[in-house]
Amino acid sequence: MIFLRPSWSFIAIAFYASIGLAPAGSKPIKKAAMEVCADYSGVGDLAQATVFSDGYQVVITRRSGQTMELSERQSASATRAVSKCHLAISANSEKAAIAFATASGIFVRLIDLPRGEFAQSVEVPHVFPIQFDIYGLGFIGHTSQLAISQAHYQSTGEPEIITQQVNSSGILEQDRHRATGYAYSEIYASSYDYGRDRVWFLCPPVSVRIDRQPRCTLTSASLTSNDEPALEVPPPPDDRVIGSGQPNLGSPSNDSIAMLARHRLWVYSFTSKAFHQMNIPETARHIRWSEFPRAPKFTADGRYAAIPVDMSHGFLFEEGGVSHGTKILLVDMNALSIIETVQPEHEQSLVDFALRNDEDSLTLATNWGKDWQVSRTPLSRLLK
């Protein structure tokens, strides 16, 4: 049996939301949102970014409910490529940054979160002649050091990643660090692990059939240094899924890495060298049904995760498939158990999401293609 992994081609990446954005003193202009992204800070503030055809807006919602809106218009010459909006928040919740692709490079805007103000902006030029939509943005470790990475594949098959950093004054440093993987290894958006200062190289696909895919070790390289020791993840016991379907990765803690692939969630501890597994149940509603989890997001303490799972079915006698939207699994990472499954009624595809631990409940912010929605899942029954 051949399993098809849903991709962004099945997902609605263009959606419509009317939000006013205009210079001071003029009437708001209605624009269709091109991209959105969001995340919670360590202190529980929600940052939501929306990118338009001629500007962008950031809404910061404090845990207390206070809302602050920041917006800026850009010239029409800054035409954007079709690219996902990126948002990063520092571990100390002092800084945030949004990034999106432009015709000439990657535009980055720094944000002072405590003040609720825009800080410096940086334009990162393209470093490769052919650009892939696999650039990354994040704060290194527990610092406020922002890094931006760009990737491409060399003619010999090795992935190459160039990373530049933004200093404390908001100036792009000219030093570029280069990291390469082994031939035909692959990188995806979830390959960037800024908390560990790493980029992970996924196993090259050998066969479309899981049972014919050889087991493989995940390798990595530092994004900013040549002196970091090697860090690897061995193949899980009795499972070849890490080498097939290209897993999405996540980092619930400094000691562990999560690997999500079809039907599986594996959590590997670097200290104990042990794997823990949770099966991901399917909700099949069609023949040739397929479900594949995307990259997860975690609460600031790493205790809970939100795992989006894209659902689709393939055509019987031709290539292609039909999307059946996205469901979200809320997971207790300590017990490796599903707390709740969140799924819209009309098979909508998830655009972005964020998760916060409120001790007695989980707060989930989701965007299914139009407006942001916030829901809460009580944890009291789990704490008894």
Side-chain angles (χ1 to χ4, degrees), residues 182 191 193 195-202 217-223 227-234 249 251 253-257 268-271 273:
Y182 63 92
S191 295
D193 186 356
R196 291 191 186 87
D197 184 23
R198 291 277 162 181
V199 58
W200 291 94
F201 303 106
L202 303 180
T217 296
L218 297 187
T219 61
S220 69
S222 172
L223 288 166
D227 302 324
E228 293 293 325
L231 193 61
E232 297 181 341
V233 178
L249 308 178
S251 298
S253 69
N254 293 332
D255 176 57
S256 62
I257 186 170
Y268 177 74
S269 170
F270 292 102
T271 300
K273 310 296 183 184

PDB file of all heavy atoms in Angstrom, residues 182 191 193 195-202 217-223 227-234 249 251 253-257 268-271 273:
ATOM      1  N   TYR A 182      24.723  15.262   4.961  1.00  0.00           N
ATOM      2  CA  TYR A 182      25.273  14.274   4.043  1.00  0.00           C
ATOM      3  C   TYR A 182      24.403  14.197   2.786  1.00  0.00           C
ATOM      4  O   TYR A 182      23.250  14.659   2.772  1.00  0.00           O
ATOM      5  CB  TYR A 182      25.406  12.910   4.713  1.00  0.00           C
ATOM      6  CG  TYR A 182      24.112  12.277   5.163  1.00  0.00           C
ATOM      7  CD1 TYR A 182      23.411  11.412   4.337  1.00  0.00           C
ATOM      8  CD2 TYR A 182      23.583  12.554   6.427  1.00  0.00           C
ATOM      9  CE1 TYR A 182      22.224  10.821   4.738  1.00  0.00           C
ATOM     10  CE2 TYR A 182      22.395  11.961   6.844  1.00  0.00           C
ATOM     11  CZ  TYR A 182      21.722  11.110   5.999  1.00  0.00           C
ATOM     12  OH  TYR A 182      20.546  10.537   6.406  1.00  0.00           O
ATOM     13  N   SER A 191      13.045  21.056  10.784  1.00  0.00           N
ATOM     14  CA  SER A 191      14.444  20.674  10.997  1.00  0.00           C
ATOM     15  C   SER A 191      15.191  21.681  11.854  1.00  0.00           C
ATOM     16  O   SER A 191      16.192  21.337  12.496  1.00  0.00           O
ATOM     17  CB  SER A 191      15.170  20.524   9.655  1.00  0.00           C
ATOM     18  OG  SER A 191      14.645  19.463   8.887  1.00  0.00           O
ATOM     19  N   ASP A 193      16.113  23.675  14.923  1.00  0.00           N
ATOM     20  CA  ASP A 193      15.968  23.501  16.369  1.00  0.00           C
ATOM     21  C   ASP A 193      16.824  24.565  17.048  1.00  0.00           C
ATOM     22  O   ASP A 193      17.930  24.292  17.519  1.00  0.00           O
ATOM     23  CB  ASP A 193      16.425  22.077  16.741  1.00  0.00           C
ATOM     24  CG  ASP A 193      16.189  21.745  18.202  1.00  0.00           C
ATOM     25  OD1 ASP A 193      15.749  22.627  18.957  1.00  0.00           O
ATOM     26  OD2 ASP A 193      16.453  20.592  18.595  1.00  0.00           O
ATOM     27  N   GLY A 195      16.454  26.112  19.827  1.00  0.00           N
ATOM     28  CA  GLY A 195      16.673  25.936  21.261  1.00  0.00           C
ATOM     29  C   GLY A 195      17.953  25.181  21.555  1.00  0.00           C
ATOM     30  O   GLY A 195      18.617  25.435  22.564  1.00  0.00           O
ATOM     31  N   ARG A 196      18.322  24.252  20.682  1.00  0.00           N
ATOM     32  CA  ARG A 196      19.579  23.512  20.824  1.00  0.00           C
ATOM     33  C   ARG A 196      20.666  24.029  19.890  1.00  0.00           C
ATOM     34  O   ARG A 196      21.757  23.446  19.836  1.00  0.00           O
ATOM     35  CB  ARG A 196      19.359  22.019  20.532  1.00  0.00           C
ATOM     36  CG  ARG A 196      18.531  21.287  21.549  1.00  0.00           C
ATOM     37  CD  ARG A 196      18.603  19.775  21.290  1.00  0.00           C
ATOM     38  NE  ARG A 196      17.709  19.082  22.167  1.00  0.00           N
ATOM     39  CZ  ARG A 196      16.419  18.858  21.924  1.00  0.00           C
ATOM     40  NH1 ARG A 196      15.896  19.266  20.780  1.00  0.00           N
ATOM     41  NH2 ARG A 196      15.661  18.240  22.779  1.00  0.00           N
ATOM     42  N   ASP A 197      20.368  25.075  19.111  1.00  0.00           N
ATOM     43  CA  ASP A 197      21.319  25.587  18.132  1.00  0.00           C
ATOM     44  C   ASP A 197      21.657  24.488  17.122  1.00  0.00           C
ATOM     45  O   ASP A 197      22.822  24.204  16.840  1.00  0.00           O
ATOM     46  CB  ASP A 197      22.581  26.097  18.831  1.00  0.00           C
ATOM     47  CG  ASP A 197      23.572  26.743  17.868  1.00  0.00           C
ATOM     48  OD1 ASP A 197      23.127  27.179  16.781  1.00  0.00           O
ATOM     49  OD2 ASP A 197      24.775  26.803  18.195  1.00  0.00           O
ATOM     50  N   ARG A 198      20.601  23.849  16.572  1.00  0.00           N
ATOM     51  CA  ARG A 198      20.802  22.709  15.696  1.00  0.00           C
ATOM     52  C   ARG A 198      19.926  22.799  14.462  1.00  0.00           C
ATOM     53  O   ARG A 198      18.857  23.414  14.468  1.00  0.00           O
ATOM     54  CB  ARG A 198      20.432  21.411  16.419  1.00  0.00           C
ATOM     55  CG  ARG A 198      21.372  21.018  17.531  1.00  0.00           C
ATOM     56  CD  ARG A 198      22.569  20.286  16.985  1.00  0.00           C
ATOM     57  NE  ARG A 198      23.663  20.266  17.953  1.00  0.00           N
ATOM     58  CZ  ARG A 198      24.834  19.712  17.721  1.00  0.00           C
ATOM     59  NH1 ARG A 198      25.057  19.132  16.567  1.00  0.00           N
ATOM     60  NH2 ARG A 198      25.787  19.751  18.617  1.00  0.00           N
ATOM     61  N   VAL A 199      20.378  22.135  13.403  1.00  0.00           N
ATOM     62  CA  VAL A 199      19.531  21.802  12.265  1.00  0.00           C
ATOM     63  C   VAL A 199      19.623  20.300  12.079  1.00  0.00           C
ATOM     64  O   VAL A 199      20.714  19.711  12.113  1.00  0.00           O
ATOM     65  CB  VAL A 199      19.959  22.559  10.986  1.00  0.00           C
ATOM     66  CG1 VAL A 199      21.403  22.281  10.608  1.00  0.00           C
ATOM     67  CG2 VAL A 199      19.011  22.219   9.840  1.00  0.00           C
ATOM     68  N   TRP A 200      18.450  19.663  11.936  1.00  0.00           N
ATOM     69  CA  TRP A 200      18.394  18.207  11.826  1.00  0.00           C
ATOM     70  C   TRP A 200      18.241  17.793  10.364  1.00  0.00           C
ATOM     71  O   TRP A 200      17.478  18.390   9.614  1.00  0.00           O
ATOM     72  CB  TRP A 200      17.219  17.653  12.639  1.00  0.00           C
ATOM     73  CG  TRP A 200      17.435  17.791  14.112  1.00  0.00           C
ATOM     74  CD1 TRP A 200      17.000  18.812  14.911  1.00  0.00           C
ATOM     75  CD2 TRP A 200      18.151  16.897  14.959  1.00  0.00           C
ATOM     76  NE1 TRP A 200      17.402  18.598  16.202  1.00  0.00           N
ATOM     77  CE2 TRP A 200      18.112  17.433  16.265  1.00  0.00           C
ATOM     78  CE3 TRP A 200      18.815  15.682  14.741  1.00  0.00           C
ATOM     79  CZ2 TRP A 200      18.706  16.797  17.345  1.00  0.00           C
ATOM     80  CZ3 TRP A 200      19.422  15.051  15.815  1.00  0.00           C
ATOM     81  CH2 TRP A 200      19.359  15.605  17.107  1.00  0.00           C
ATOM     82  N   PHE A 201      18.989  16.748   9.990  1.00  0.00           N
ATOM     83  CA  PHE A 201      18.941  16.226   8.631  1.00  0.00           C
ATOM     84  C   PHE A 201      18.146  14.922   8.644  1.00  0.00           C
ATOM     85  O   PHE A 201      18.493  13.978   9.357  1.00  0.00           O
ATOM     86  CB  PHE A 201      20.346  15.997   8.089  1.00  0.00           C
ATOM     87  CG  PHE A 201      21.196  17.235   8.117  1.00  0.00           C
ATOM     88  CD1 PHE A 201      22.211  17.379   9.048  1.00  0.00           C
ATOM     89  CD2 PHE A 201      20.944  18.275   7.239  1.00  0.00           C
ATOM     90  CE1 PHE A 201      22.985  18.523   9.086  1.00  0.00           C
ATOM     91  CE2 PHE A 201      21.717  19.433   7.268  1.00  0.00           C
ATOM     92  CZ  PHE A 201      22.736  19.560   8.198  1.00  0.00           C
ATOM     93  N   LEU A 202      17.073  14.903   7.868  1.00  0.00           N
ATOM     94  CA  LEU A 202      16.202  13.737   7.828  1.00  0.00           C
ATOM     95  C   LEU A 202      16.703  12.722   6.808  1.00  0.00           C
ATOM     96  O   LEU A 202      17.394  13.061   5.844  1.00  0.00           O
ATOM     97  CB  LEU A 202      14.778  14.159   7.498  1.00  0.00           C
ATOM     98  CG  LEU A 202      14.176  15.186   8.471  1.00  0.00           C
ATOM     99  CD1 LEU A 202      12.757  15.535   8.057  1.00  0.00           C
ATOM    100  CD2 LEU A 202      14.203  14.679   9.898  1.00  0.00           C
ATOM    101  N   THR A 217      19.561   6.780  11.081  1.00  0.00           N
ATOM    102  CA  THR A 217      19.877   7.656  12.209  1.00  0.00           C
ATOM    103  C   THR A 217      19.746   9.111  11.787  1.00  0.00           C
ATOM    104  O   THR A 217      20.251   9.503  10.723  1.00  0.00           O
ATOM    105  CB  THR A 217      21.308   7.385  12.710  1.00  0.00           C
ATOM    106  OG1 THR A 217      21.390   6.060  13.223  1.00  0.00           O
ATOM    107  CG2 THR A 217      21.703   8.368  13.804  1.00  0.00           C
ATOM    108  N   LEU A 218      19.062   9.913  12.625  1.00  0.00           N
ATOM    109  CA  LEU A 218      18.973  11.347  12.355  1.00  0.00           C
ATOM    110  C   LEU A 218      20.257  12.017  12.807  1.00  0.00           C
ATOM    111  O   LEU A 218      20.720  11.811  13.939  1.00  0.00           O
ATOM    112  CB  LEU A 218      17.786  11.965  13.099  1.00  0.00           C
ATOM    113  CG  LEU A 218      16.381  11.484  12.740  1.00  0.00           C
ATOM    114  CD1 LEU A 218      15.341  12.330  13.467  1.00  0.00           C
ATOM    115  CD2 LEU A 218      16.146  11.546  11.248  1.00  0.00           C
ATOM    116  N   THR A 219      20.842  12.816  11.929  1.00  0.00           N
ATOM    117  CA  THR A 219      22.058  13.549  12.262  1.00  0.00           C
ATOM    118  C   THR A 219      21.745  15.044  12.327  1.00  0.00           C
ATOM    119  O   THR A 219      20.680  15.491  11.900  1.00  0.00           O
ATOM    120  CB  THR A 219      23.155  13.294  11.223  1.00  0.00           C
ATOM    121  OG1 THR A 219      22.701  13.736   9.935  1.00  0.00           O
ATOM    122  CG2 THR A 219      23.490  11.807  11.141  1.00  0.00           C
ATOM    123  N   SER A 220      22.677  15.810  12.865  1.00  0.00           N
ATOM    124  CA  SER A 220      22.453  17.247  13.007  1.00  0.00           C
ATOM    125  C   SER A 220      23.768  17.993  12.926  1.00  0.00           C
ATOM    126  O   SER A 220      24.853  17.403  12.967  1.00  0.00           O
ATOM    127  CB  SER A 220      21.760  17.562  14.346  1.00  0.00           C
ATOM    128  OG  SER A 220      22.640  17.315  15.433  1.00  0.00           O
ATOM    129  N   ALA A 221      23.656  19.316  12.828  1.00  0.00           N
ATOM    130  CA  ALA A 221      24.828  20.198  12.841  1.00  0.00           C
ATOM    131  C   ALA A 221      24.442  21.481  13.552  1.00  0.00           C
ATOM    132  O   ALA A 221      23.263  21.863  13.585  1.00  0.00           O
ATOM    133  CB  ALA A 221      25.306  20.490  11.416  1.00  0.00           C
ATOM    134  N   SER A 222      25.431  22.147  14.133  1.00  0.00           N
ATOM    135  CA  SER A 222      25.171  23.413  14.805  1.00  0.00           C
ATOM    136  C   SER A 222      24.875  24.500  13.776  1.00  0.00           C
ATOM    137  O   SER A 222      25.466  24.531  12.690  1.00  0.00           O
ATOM    138  CB  SER A 222      26.375  23.826  15.653  1.00  0.00           C
ATOM    139  OG  SER A 222      26.209  25.140  16.154  1.00  0.00           O
ATOM    140  N   LEU A 223      23.958  25.386  14.120  1.00  0.00           N
ATOM    141  CA  LEU A 223      23.613  26.499  13.235  1.00  0.00           C
ATOM    142  C   LEU A 223      24.600  27.646  13.327  1.00  0.00           C
ATOM    143  O   LEU A 223      24.681  28.460  12.404  1.00  0.00           O
ATOM    144  CB  LEU A 223      22.218  27.011  13.566  1.00  0.00           C
ATOM    145  CG  LEU A 223      21.037  26.115  13.157  1.00  0.00           C
ATOM    146  CD1 LEU A 223      19.761  26.573  13.848  1.00  0.00           C
ATOM    147  CD2 LEU A 223      20.859  26.117  11.650  1.00  0.00           C
ATOM    148  N   ASP A 227      32.284  24.150  16.701  1.00  0.00           N
ATOM    149  CA  ASP A 227      32.895  23.461  17.830  1.00  0.00           C
ATOM    150  C   ASP A 227      31.911  22.621  18.629  1.00  0.00           C
ATOM    151  O   ASP A 227      32.297  22.005  19.624  1.00  0.00           O
ATOM    152  CB  ASP A 227      33.557  24.488  18.775  1.00  0.00           C
ATOM    153  CG  ASP A 227      34.612  25.314  18.064  1.00  0.00           C
ATOM    154  OD1 ASP A 227      35.311  24.748  17.202  1.00  0.00           O
ATOM    155  OD2 ASP A 227      34.745  26.513  18.381  1.00  0.00           O
ATOM    156  N   GLU A 228      30.644  22.605  18.235  1.00  0.00           N
ATOM    157  CA  GLU A 228      29.651  21.836  18.979  1.00  0.00           C
ATOM    158  C   GLU A 228      29.822  20.341  18.709  1.00  0.00           C
ATOM    159  O   GLU A 228      30.095  19.935  17.580  1.00  0.00           O
ATOM    160  CB  GLU A 228      28.246  22.264  18.585  1.00  0.00           C
ATOM    161  CG  GLU A 228      27.890  23.691  18.995  1.00  0.00           C
ATOM    162  CD  GLU A 228      27.807  23.841  20.498  1.00  0.00           C
ATOM    163  OE1 GLU A 228      27.378  22.884  21.174  1.00  0.00           O
ATOM    164  OE2 GLU A 228      28.174  24.920  21.003  1.00  0.00           O
ATOM    165  N   PRO A 229      29.675  19.500  19.740  1.00  0.00           N
ATOM    166  CA  PRO A 229      29.784  18.047  19.527  1.00  0.00           C
ATOM    167  C   PRO A 229      28.616  17.515  18.708  1.00  0.00           C
ATOM    168  O   PRO A 229      27.559  18.139  18.613  1.00  0.00           O
ATOM    169  CB  PRO A 229      29.748  17.479  20.956  1.00  0.00           C
ATOM    170  CG  PRO A 229      29.018  18.527  21.758  1.00  0.00           C
ATOM    171  CD  PRO A 229      29.392  19.848  21.141  1.00  0.00           C
ATOM    172  N   ALA A 230      28.825  16.351  18.105  1.00  0.00           N
ATOM    173  CA  ALA A 230      27.780  15.740  17.288  1.00  0.00           C
ATOM    174  C   ALA A 230      26.592  15.340  18.158  1.00  0.00           C
ATOM    175  O   ALA A 230      26.734  14.972  19.326  1.00  0.00           O
ATOM    176  CB  ALA A 230      28.340  14.521  16.567  1.00  0.00           C
ATOM    177  N   LEU A 231      25.409  15.435  17.579  1.00  0.00           N
ATOM    178  CA  LEU A 231      24.182  15.046  18.267  1.00  0.00           C
ATOM    179  C   LEU A 231      23.336  14.254  17.284  1.00  0.00           C
ATOM    180  O   LEU A 231      23.021  14.736  16.194  1.00  0.00           O
ATOM    181  CB  LEU A 231      23.423  16.281  18.756  1.00  0.00           C
ATOM    182  CG  LEU A 231      22.291  16.043  19.762  1.00  0.00           C
ATOM    183  CD1 LEU A 231      22.836  15.413  21.039  1.00  0.00           C
ATOM    184  CD2 LEU A 231      21.576  17.343  20.077  1.00  0.00           C
ATOM    185  N   GLU A 232      22.983  13.023  17.652  1.00  0.00           N
ATOM    186  CA  GLU A 232      22.252  12.133  16.760  1.00  0.00           C
ATOM    187  C   GLU A 232      21.082  11.488  17.496  1.00  0.00           C
ATOM    188  O   GLU A 232      21.053  11.429  18.726  1.00  0.00           O
ATOM    189  CB  GLU A 232      23.172  11.036  16.219  1.00  0.00           C
ATOM    190  CG  GLU A 232      24.318  11.528  15.368  1.00  0.00           C
ATOM    191  CD  GLU A 232      25.177  10.401  14.847  1.00  0.00           C
ATOM    192  OE1 GLU A 232      25.127   9.278  15.420  1.00  0.00           O
ATOM    193  OE2 GLU A 232      25.914  10.619  13.860  1.00  0.00           O
ATOM    194  N   VAL A 233      20.128  11.007  16.699  1.00  0.00           N
ATOM    195  CA  VAL A 233      18.998  10.239  17.227  1.00  0.00           C
ATOM    196  C   VAL A 233      18.980   8.906  16.488  1.00  0.00           C
ATOM    197  O   VAL A 233      18.803   8.876  15.271  1.00  0.00           O
ATOM    198  CB  VAL A 233      17.660  10.971  17.022  1.00  0.00           C
ATOM    199  CG1 VAL A 233      16.501  10.109  17.531  1.00  0.00           C
ATOM    200  CG2 VAL A 233      17.664  12.317  17.734  1.00  0.00           C
ATOM    201  N   PRO A 234      19.173   7.793  17.198  1.00  0.00           N
ATOM    202  CA  PRO A 234      19.162   6.490  16.531  1.00  0.00           C
ATOM    203  C   PRO A 234      17.756   6.125  16.082  1.00  0.00           C
ATOM    204  O   PRO A 234      16.770   6.734  16.524  1.00  0.00           O
ATOM    205  CB  PRO A 234      19.653   5.545  17.633  1.00  0.00           C
ATOM    206  CG  PRO A 234      19.246   6.212  18.907  1.00  0.00           C
ATOM    207  CD  PRO A 234      19.379   7.689  18.654  1.00  0.00           C
ATOM    208  N   LEU A 249       9.449  17.283  13.464  1.00  0.00           N
ATOM    209  CA  LEU A 249      10.198  17.264  14.718  1.00  0.00           C
ATOM    210  C   LEU A 249       9.717  18.357  15.650  1.00  0.00           C
ATOM    211  O   LEU A 249       9.138  19.359  15.225  1.00  0.00           O
ATOM    212  CB  LEU A 249      11.697  17.444  14.446  1.00  0.00           C
ATOM    213  CG  LEU A 249      12.324  16.502  13.411  1.00  0.00           C
ATOM    214  CD1 LEU A 249      13.793  16.846  13.224  1.00  0.00           C
ATOM    215  CD2 LEU A 249      12.155  15.049  13.815  1.00  0.00           C
ATOM    216  N   SER A 251      10.641  20.004  20.004  1.00  0.00           N
ATOM    217  CA  SER A 251      11.502  19.944  21.188  1.00  0.00           C
ATOM    218  C   SER A 251      10.712  20.307  22.431  1.00  0.00           C
ATOM    219  O   SER A 251      10.602  21.480  22.790  1.00  0.00           O
ATOM    220  CB  SER A 251      12.690  20.904  21.027  1.00  0.00           C
ATOM    221  OG  SER A 251      13.492  20.533  19.925  1.00  0.00           O
ATOM    222  N   SER A 253      11.601  19.656  25.507  1.00  0.00           N
ATOM    223  CA  SER A 253      12.521  20.043  26.579  1.00  0.00           C
ATOM    224  C   SER A 253      13.939  20.028  26.050  1.00  0.00           C
ATOM    225  O   SER A 253      14.202  19.590  24.927  1.00  0.00           O
ATOM    226  CB  SER A 253      12.385  19.086  27.773  1.00  0.00           C
ATOM    227  OG  SER A 253      12.883  17.796  27.428  1.00  0.00           O
ATOM    228  N   ASN A 254      14.882  20.484  26.889  1.00  0.00           N
ATOM    229  CA  ASN A 254      16.282  20.490  26.481  1.00  0.00           C
ATOM    230  C   ASN A 254      16.841  19.077  26.359  1.00  0.00           C
ATOM    231  O   ASN A 254      17.845  18.857  25.685  1.00  0.00           O
ATOM    232  CB  ASN A 254      17.120  21.283  27.487  1.00  0.00           C
ATOM    233  CG  ASN A 254      16.793  22.764  27.476  1.00  0.00           C
ATOM    234  OD1 ASN A 254      16.374  23.306  26.457  1.00  0.00           O
ATOM    235  ND2 ASN A 254      16.963  23.417  28.609  1.00  0.00           N
ATOM    236  N   ASP A 255      16.196  18.121  27.013  1.00  0.00           N
ATOM    237  CA  ASP A 255      16.721  16.765  27.050  1.00  0.00           C
ATOM    238  C   ASP A 255      16.069  15.843  26.037  1.00  0.00           C
ATOM    239  O   ASP A 255      16.539  14.726  25.815  1.00  0.00           O
ATOM    240  CB  ASP A 255      16.522  16.173  28.458  1.00  0.00           C
ATOM    241  CG  ASP A 255      16.963  14.724  28.526  1.00  0.00           C
ATOM    242  OD1 ASP A 255      18.140  14.452  28.216  1.00  0.00           O
ATOM    243  OD2 ASP A 255      16.127  13.861  28.858  1.00  0.00           O
ATOM    244  N   SER A 256      14.991  16.279  25.385  1.00  0.00           N
ATOM    245  CA  SER A 256      14.247  15.340  24.548  1.00  0.00           C
ATOM    246  C   SER A 256      13.891  15.959  23.206  1.00  0.00           C
ATOM    247  O   SER A 256      13.864  17.181  23.041  1.00  0.00           O
ATOM    248  CB  SER A 256      12.971  14.886  25.260  1.00  0.00           C
ATOM    249  OG  SER A 256      12.123  15.982  25.505  1.00  0.00           O
ATOM    250  N   ILE A 257      13.613  15.069  22.264  1.00  0.00           N
ATOM    251  CA  ILE A 257      13.139  15.487  20.952  1.00  0.00           C
ATOM    252  C   ILE A 257      11.951  14.607  20.587  1.00  0.00           C
ATOM    253  O   ILE A 257      11.934  13.404  20.893  1.00  0.00           O
ATOM    254  CB  ILE A 257      14.254  15.383  19.892  1.00  0.00           C
ATOM    255  CG1 ILE A 257      13.777  15.961  18.553  1.00  0.00           C
ATOM    256  CG2 ILE A 257      14.738  13.953  19.722  1.00  0.00           C
ATOM    257  CD1 ILE A 257      14.893  16.115  17.530  1.00  0.00           C
ATOM    258  N   TYR A 268      12.412  10.873  22.286  1.00  0.00           N
ATOM    259  CA  TYR A 268      13.735  10.325  22.586  1.00  0.00           C
ATOM    260  C   TYR A 268      14.429  11.199  23.609  1.00  0.00           C
ATOM    261  O   TYR A 268      14.469  12.431  23.471  1.00  0.00           O
ATOM    262  CB  TYR A 268      14.578  10.250  21.310  1.00  0.00           C
ATOM    263  CG  TYR A 268      15.990   9.768  21.535  1.00  0.00           C
ATOM    264  CD1 TYR A 268      16.253   8.417  21.794  1.00  0.00           C
ATOM    265  CD2 TYR A 268      17.062  10.646  21.493  1.00  0.00           C
ATOM    266  CE1 TYR A 268      17.553   7.964  21.990  1.00  0.00           C
ATOM    267  CE2 TYR A 268      18.363  10.211  21.683  1.00  0.00           C
ATOM    268  CZ  TYR A 268      18.602   8.867  21.936  1.00  0.00           C
ATOM    269  OH  TYR A 268      19.884   8.430  22.136  1.00  0.00           O
ATOM    270  N   SER A 269      14.983  10.578  24.658  1.00  0.00           N
ATOM    271  CA  SER A 269      15.728  11.286  25.697  1.00  0.00           C
ATOM    272  C   SER A 269      17.214  11.188  25.414  1.00  0.00           C
ATOM    273  O   SER A 269      17.752  10.078  25.273  1.00  0.00           O
ATOM    274  CB  SER A 269      15.414  10.692  27.075  1.00  0.00           C
ATOM    275  OG  SER A 269      16.303  11.216  28.052  1.00  0.00           O
ATOM    276  N   PHE A 270      17.884  12.325  25.326  1.00  0.00           N
ATOM    277  CA  PHE A 270      19.324  12.319  25.070  1.00  0.00           C
ATOM    278  C   PHE A 270      20.099  11.844  26.292  1.00  0.00           C
ATOM    279  O   PHE A 270      21.224  11.352  26.164  1.00  0.00           O
ATOM    280  CB  PHE A 270      19.788  13.717  24.661  1.00  0.00           C
ATOM    281  CG  PHE A 270      19.256  14.152  23.327  1.00  0.00           C
ATOM    282  CD1 PHE A 270      18.188  15.032  23.253  1.00  0.00           C
ATOM    283  CD2 PHE A 270      19.816  13.689  22.153  1.00  0.00           C
ATOM    284  CE1 PHE A 270      17.685  15.440  22.028  1.00  0.00           C
ATOM    285  CE2 PHE A 270      19.326  14.082  20.917  1.00  0.00           C
ATOM    286  CZ  PHE A 270      18.259  14.961  20.861  1.00  0.00           C
ATOM    287  N   THR A 271      19.521  11.990  27.489  1.00  0.00           N
ATOM    288  CA  THR A 271      20.215  11.566  28.708  1.00  0.00           C
ATOM    289  C   THR A 271      20.128  10.055  28.904  1.00  0.00           C
ATOM    290  O   THR A 271      21.144   9.375  29.090  1.00  0.00           O
ATOM    291  CB  THR A 271      19.627  12.269  29.940  1.00  0.00           C
ATOM    292  OG1 THR A 271      19.781  13.680  29.789  1.00  0.00           O
ATOM    293  CG2 THR A 271      20.335  11.818  31.212  1.00  0.00           C
ATOM    294  N   LYS A 273      18.980   7.879  26.660  1.00  0.00           N
ATOM    295  CA  LYS A 273      19.081   7.177  25.376  1.00  0.00           C
ATOM    296  C   LYS A 273      17.889   6.244  25.143  1.00  0.00           C
ATOM    297  O   LYS A 273      18.004   5.212  24.477  1.00  0.00           O
ATOM    298  CB  LYS A 273      20.387   6.363  25.287  1.00  0.00           C
ATOM    299  CG  LYS A 273      21.636   7.125  25.638  1.00  0.00           C
ATOM    300  CD  LYS A 273      21.903   8.266  24.680  1.00  0.00           C
ATOM    301  CE  LYS A 273      23.219   8.975  25.007  1.00  0.00           C
ATOM    302  NZ  LYS A 273      23.439  10.150  24.140  1.00  0.00           N
TER     303      LYS A 273
END
